[in-house]
Amino acid sequence: MARITAGVATSHVPAIGAALDNGKAGDAYWAPLFAGYEASKAWIAAEKPDVILLVYNDHASAFSLELIPTFAIGCAERFQPADEGWGPRPVPVVEGHPELAWHLAESLILDEFDMTIVNRMDVDHGLTVPLSLMFGQPDAWPCKVIPLAVNVVQYPPPTGNRCLKLGQAIRRAVESFPEDLKVVVFGTGGMSHQLQGPRAGLINAEFDNAFLDRLVADPEGQAAVPHLDYVREAGSEGIELVMWLVMRGALDREVRVAHRFYHVPASNTAVGHLILENPSA
Ligand code: DHB
Ligand code: FE
């Protein structure tokens, strides 16, 4: 049987990818950020997942305002890195896991989550930057990756509660896949940031740290927080944090915190990061 052993949450700032790709990771501005992921790289090298189910949002790279799936699952064999403002990143092609992805699509849809099935999709910084933070700069990504895109760009995004429940359904789906696979679920985006308008540059460390606390200890309470609170307190792009609840829902009610990191600034964004282990796995 496949099983979910852990969850990883991290911000996905595109400038982090550009810093790595352009050899700036050792610069004074970036070094403290990358230092916070050294333990994470060691952790995932020891964990050796077979598959990462990576929950992220597309930033108008694969989708546009012409087509806005609330939840989309990538069932393809592979996914090409997409243009991200700095141009497509020089990172390896992302290899999918079509058998597990189709199983997830079937299980989730029959479990009443109306997933959009995507057989061709480019993947942007929302997906590739978390892989770079966790794996560095390998010639090939060391495991398969199933992209699960959530709309948090065009109002209305799914509620926190819907995201938590999707995570719970993902767990049921993974655990009904007969092959022995070790799956780690990633939730990406956030933390507080606002990229446009009079409040551009907003950071709220108090909100972010309370979110980290509650995601671990009180996921149901965090899932009840309405969109407006995220946007008011964490900025217009802070709403990306609802995707962390998908990851959290896929884990045990009580989790082990293997790593926690918070750092400001990275571009316009407060970077948050958690590694949560499933005691039952
Ligand atoms: C930034 C952060 C994001 O999450 C994003 O998608 C784009 C830009 C930033 O801080 O610059
Ligand atoms: Fe983003």
Side-chain angles (χ1 to χ4, degrees), residues 136-151:
Q137 295 171 288
D139 292 334
W141 300 120
C143 64
K144 311 282 190 189
V145 179
I146 297 175
L148 198 163
V150 179
N151 166 47

Side-chain angles (χ1 to χ4, degrees), residues 12 14 57 59 125-126 189-190 193 237 240:
H12 62 213
N57 66 294
H59 303 74
H125 65 268
H193 63 306
E237 279 69 44
E240 289 182 342

Side-chain angles (χ1 to χ4, degrees), residues 198-222:
R199 297 201 308 161
L202 177 147
I203 299 289
N204 185 344
E206 196 179 322
F207 176 93
D208 289 341
N209 279 290
F211 178 90
L212 293 170
D213 292 341
R214 263 184 118 182
L215 191 76
V216 173
D218 180 20
E220 298 82 10
Q222 187 58 49

Side-chain angles (χ1 to χ4, degrees), residues 191-266:
M191 297 199 86
S192 53
H193 63 306
Q194 171 144 345
L195 300 178
Q196 23 72 44
R199 297 201 308 161
L202 177 147
I203 299 289
N204 185 344
E206 196 179 322
F207 176 93
D208 289 341
N209 279 290
F211 178 90
L212 293 170
D213 292 341
R214 263 184 118 182
L215 191 76
V216 173
D218 180 20
E220 298 82 10
Q222 187 58 49
V225 171
H227 293 139
L228 206 54
D229 289 24
Y230 287 89
V231 173
R232 189 195 312 109
E233 301 299 328
S236 50
E237 279 69 44
I239 191 65
E240 289 182 342
L241 285 170
V242 292
M243 295 184 289
W244 293 29
L245 284 159
V246 179
M247 175 280 284
R248 185 64 183 89
L251 303 180
D252 292 354
R253 179 61 183 74
E254 309 294 329
V255 286
R256 259 194 318 265
V257 180
H259 186 48
R260 174 172 170 159
F261 177 62
Y262 184 72
H263 176 79
V264 180

Side-chain angles (χ1 to χ4, degrees), residues 9-49:
T10 178
S11 307
H12 62 213
V13 186
I16 294 175
L20 271 175
D21 301 340
N22 296 310
K24 295 186 191 307
D27 288 8
Y29 181 87
W30 289 110
L33 180 275
F34 288 108
Y37 286 82
E38 282 307 313
S40 318
K41 283 161 62 180
W43 177 87
I44 206 151
E47 183 74 7
K48 292 192 183 62

